[in-house]
Amino acid sequence: MTKTCVIIGASHAAAQLVVSLRSEGWKDQIVVISEELDIFYHRPPLSKAYLSGEKNKTQIAIRPREAFDKLGIEFVLGVRAEKINRKDKTITLNNGEVIHYDKLALCTGARARMLQLPGVELEGVCYLRSAHDAESIQRQVKPGGRAVIVGGGYIGLETAASLRALGMKVTVLEAANRVLERVTCPQMSEFFARVHREEGVDIHTNVQVSGFIGQQHVEGVVCADGTDYQADLVVVGVGIIPNAEIAKDCGIAVDNGIVTDEFARTNDPDIVACGDVANHPNRLYQRRLRLESVPNACDQARSAAASVCGTDKVYDTLPWFWSDQYDIKLQIVGLNHGYDATIVRGDVTGRSFVVFYFNNGVLIAADCVNRVKEFMVAKQLVAKKAELDLALFADETVEIKSLLTA
Ligand code: FAD
């Protein structure tokens, strides 16, 4: 009898999952449900090349639609999966349709965290998670107009860079005392703040946004200290929330995302979860993580596909991330949480250097600014839990590759 694997969500995790399901030997039906009409597109360019207009829709497709048709994937698009009934093994959609599954994969990702502040409903106050959001921001771009970005994280800073490229005057408002505070060390924060200022962005930290003003369209951003900033466009980038409610409502374990094991399995043997929504155990860092990155979504989807097909493929790849802003390619390897020392290789006052992070003398992470070679080496060193003389990392006369055999 033909079996059905249903996947909810059609983004990075799902795109890899369908390919891996076929390569793992799933010959039966695969049905993908997505509330978005645009599917299987790269999300990272939404704040970068897609927003700035350098790339179009076709150029951000993960694979052309025909590639998925060739794999025999069926799509149910523009509808939301509302409820999972684990007893009947069915999913109820918001159009009333009920779909049966034998195996279910939750690739529901995350959504932008919304602000609950006066005036947030005004036209021109935008969030950025989908291609639709990026297009809506693009429509409101006016060269010479004023854009205010709420949040100085990666999405906020990338959006600032893209809006500068489109000729807007850009202000970034950050509540913490430095940009990227949650994810990086003070030197990196200072570096990015300097670069953005050099590129003409006005950055304010320790600023608590308290509301938005305007008639129908936003005209300004008001802060708790009484200051206000004129705005023709506001982009809010204050983090994301995992789309885990559908799992929680049917009794699947949820704790900062859907709780999975190292094989992407949930507490229901017929349901897997992967990508931004999944909270999984990481062997290298010996703790649970919910990562928000494309490499995580893709690698975890490979394990999820194996689990659906009845084999065990552990997910334990090293986390890595990237960010593009202006002429800067930042590549991040590992997680720096708990670092007790940093070493800089190169010149932080320029635009090419590395910050290595250590815990008890062990290399745990590295932020590589326009340093691809160091990034490749750091990936191996972090995976090996390298413990080397720290001075070697700083010394530019020591070839970085030599550290692999040191
Ligand atoms: P998502 O991409 O979140 O997709 C989930 C999909 O499921 C969505 O389409 C959602 O609408 C749909 N869905 C959810 N619930 C339901 C439901 N009940 N019914 C139907 N459909 C549903 N990562 C990097 O590694 N590098 C970067 O530089 C980078 N830049 C980024 C820039 C931006 C602007 C954004 C938004 C993200 C960026 N990311 C980056 C993060 C990266 O895009 C995510 O990690 C990745 O998209 C996660 O993929 P996913 O498949 O888990 O979930």
Side-chain angles (χ1 to χ4, degrees):
M1 213 176 81
T2 303
K3 287 187 172 177
T4 304
C5 177
V6 173
I7 300 172
I8 306 180
S11 182
H12 289 278
Q16 182 59 52
L17 185 62
V18 296
V19 172
S20 297
L21 277 173
R22 290 298 185 219
S23 59
E24 290 283 340
W26 183 270
K27 294 199 172 57
D28 291 336
Q29 194 181 25
I30 300 177
V31 178
V32 174
I33 302 167
S34 174
E35 62 190 346
E36 285 192 69
L37 288 172
D38 295 316
I39 54 160
F40 293 151
Y41 59 85
H42 287 279
R43 242 169 250 274
L46 299 183
S47 49
K48 310 176 184 86
Y50 188 65
L51 183 61
S52 64
E54 280 163 63
K55 285 193 176 166
N56 61 30
K57 239 330 149 35
T58 315
Q59 289 166 313
I60 66 164
I62 293 178
R63 285 170 191 228
R65 176 67 184 263
E66 306 81 67
F68 295 103
D69 292 341
K70 265 194 194 155
L71 291 171
I73 315 299
E74 294 166 42
F75 294 99
V76 182
L77 302 181
V79 286
R80 199 177 157 71
E82 291 272 286
K83 191 174 169 226
I84 299 165
N85 186 332
R86 288 164 60 202
K87 226 165 112 201
D88 302 349
K89 289 195 154 190
T90 58
I91 299 149
T92 307
L93 308 182
N94 65 349
N95 61 5
E97 203 186 323
V98 175
I99 294 184
H100 166 79
Y101 69 85
D102 295 286
K103 297 283 180 185
L104 174 61
L106 300 172
C107 302
T108 49
R111 60 185 181 276
R113 184 184 296 277
M114 306 270 177
L115 292 177
Q116 307 286 331
L117 293 174
V120 74
E121 69 295 338
L122 287 167
E123 281 171 20
V125 179
C126 305
Y127 296 86
L128 180 50
R129 183 69 195 176
S130 64
H132 181 264
D133 295 338
E135 288 150 20
S136 153
I137 294 170
Q138 265 172 345
R139 279 194 297 276
Q140 303 185 57
V141 167
K142 280 191 249 155
R146 290 175 189 279
V148 174
I149 314 287
V150 181
Y154 284 120
I155 303 274
L157 294 184
E158 289 173 0
T159 303
S162 297
L163 294 180
R164 281 297 296 144
L166 292 170
M168 292 200 79
K169 294 180 183 133
V170 180
T171 301
V172 173
L173 304 179
E174 166 56 52
N177 65 9
R178 57 186 174 90
V179 295
L180 301 173
E181 190 192 42
R182 199 173 56 86
V183 286
T184 196
C185 66
Q187 276 161 311
M188 286 298 293
S189 296
E190 274 163 37
F191 165 73
F192 275 106
R194 169 177 66 78
V195 166
H196 277 274
R197 287 185 178 122
E198 283 171 4
E199 301 287 344
V201 175
D202 196 17
I203 295 188
H204 299 267
T205 54
N206 292 308
V207 175
Q208 202 66 50
V209 170
S210 57
F212 305 92
I213 45 170
Q215 293 302 310
Q216 200 179 339
H217 198 280
V218 71
E219 289 165 24
V221 180
V222 187
C223 300
D225 64 3
T227 51
D228 59 68
Y229 298 85
Q230 282 179 27
D232 304 302
L233 166 66
V234 173
V235 182
V236 180
V238 293
I240 60 172
I241 297 176
N243 290 319
E245 292 82 356
I246 191 167
K248 190 172 181 204
D249 292 349
C250 70
I252 289 174
V254 166
D255 178 13
N256 178 27
I258 300 173
V259 176
T260 70
D261 64 11
E262 62 271 53
F263 306 106
R265 287 185 295 238
T266 68
N267 57 326
D268 181 322
D270 292 318
I271 304 182
V272 293
C274 50
D276 280 16
V277 77
N279 174 343
H280 59 276
N282 179 283
R283 287 186 179 179
L284 182 71
Y285 293 98
Q286 294 286 308
R287 61 190 167 92
R288 287 199 152 270
L289 299 173
R290 192 181 60 72
L291 299 173
E292 298 165 5
S293 79
V294 171
N296 166 67
C298 296
D299 290 338
Q300 211 177 11
R302 293 185 177 96
S303 295
S307 290
V308 168
C309 296
T311 47
D312 288 350
K313 186 179 271 180
V314 70
Y315 171 58
D316 68 349
T317 51
L318 178 67
W320 68 273
F321 314 85
W322 78 92
S323 177
D324 298 327
Q325 298 168 43
Y326 311 108
D327 57 346
I328 289 159
K329 179 151 207 75
L330 169 69
Q331 291 168 299
I332 303 161
V333 51
L335 302 174
N336 64 17
H337 301 248
Y339 72 90
D340 53 26
T342 56
I343 293 283
V344 175
R345 182 182 179 90
D347 179 8
V348 279
T349 64
R351 291 193 179 196
S352 168
F353 64 92
V354 184
V355 177
F356 292 102
Y357 296 85
F358 301 87
N359 177 269
N360 262 326
V362 176
L363 181 68
I364 54 167
D367 291 342
C368 308
V369 176
N370 291 332
R371 292 279 185 127
V372 177
K373 210 162 40 161
E374 277 85 348
F375 171 67
M376 301 308 290
V377 171
K379 264 183 152 178
Q380 296 184 53
L381 292 174
V382 173
K384 275 181 165 177
K385 299 191 174 181
E387 244 176 302
L388 296 168
D389 177 1
L390 301 201
L392 289 173
F393 288 91
D395 189 348
E396 292 260 47
T397 64
V398 175
E399 174 59 35
I400 193 73
K401 273 192 190 155
S402 70
L403 299 193
L404 289 171
T405 48

